């Protein structure tokens, strides 16, 4: 008896059909297409956000698709340069700077720093 992982983890999306979509790509959304964000008008923003699914599994799938899209564009081409790794390092540096900024802001007003 095979072990079934809950919530569909490790399985294809339910909307994926190999006969229609061809080979599976983890960076592609196989659900019903919606209006791109760049084509929204101001009055359509709230209904657009209400149509989104904010379930943790759907959010995890969206982050996974974004990572695959980034990885296939910047990290896995045949002649990939260092640009993808530099972007990741700069993103991590920016995250930690923003994370420690309150301490740095306080430290700048101290008379004796060390």
């Amino acid at each position: 008896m095979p072990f079934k992982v809950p919530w569909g983890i490790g399985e294809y999306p339910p909307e994926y059909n190999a006969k229609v979509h061809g080979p599976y790509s983890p960076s592609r959304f196989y659900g019903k297409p919606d209006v791109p964000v760049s084509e929204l008008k101001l009055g359509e923003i709230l209904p657009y956000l209400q149509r989104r699914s904010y379930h943790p599994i759907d959010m995890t799938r969206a982050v996974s698709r974004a990572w695959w899209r980034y990885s296939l564009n910047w990290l896995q081409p045949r002649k990939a340069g260092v640009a993808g790794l530099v972007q990741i390092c700069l993103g991590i540096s920016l995250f930690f700077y923003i994370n420690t900024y309150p301490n740095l802001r306080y430290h700048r007003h101290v008379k004796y720093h060390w």
Side-chain angles (χ1 to χ4, degrees):
M1 184 164 122
F3 179 71
K4 178 107 171 132
V5 179
W7 303 301
I9 296 174
E11 298 177 3
Y12 290 128
E15 301 89 4
Y16 173 69
N17 184 354
K19 294 178 181 176
V20 174
H21 299 109
Y24 177 72
S25 173
S27 64
R28 181 176 172 202
F29 177 65
Y30 290 102
K32 189 175 180 182
D34 201 356
V35 180
V37 178
S38 61
E39 296 178 8
L40 285 178
K41 296 183 173 71
L42 286 177
E44 299 172 346
I45 292 176
L46 187 60
Y48 179 82
L49 292 175
Q50 290 172 343
R51 286 193 304 264
R52 304 291 101 198
S53 173
Y54 294 104
H55 192 274
I57 292 175
D58 294 332
M59 299 299 276
T60 305
R61 288 178 181 158
V63 170
S64 175
R65 282 193 306 271
W67 168 254
W68 272 101
R69 198 170 297 127
Y70 174 82
S71 177
L72 289 173
N73 285 333
W74 290 100
L75 302 177
Q76 296 182 8
R78 283 191 182 167
K79 295 184 178 181
V82 296
L85 295 174
V86 170
Q87 290 172 359
I88 290 173
C89 291
L90 287 175
I92 291 171
S93 299
L94 181 66
F95 171 75
F96 280 108
Y97 179 77
I98 291 171
N99 194 21
T100 59
Y101 183 75
N103 188 21
L104 295 172
R105 189 179 62 196
Y106 167 76
H107 189 69
R108 126 180 88 191
H109 298 295
V110 177
K111 183 175 182 181
Y112 298 106
H113 292 278
W114 303 104

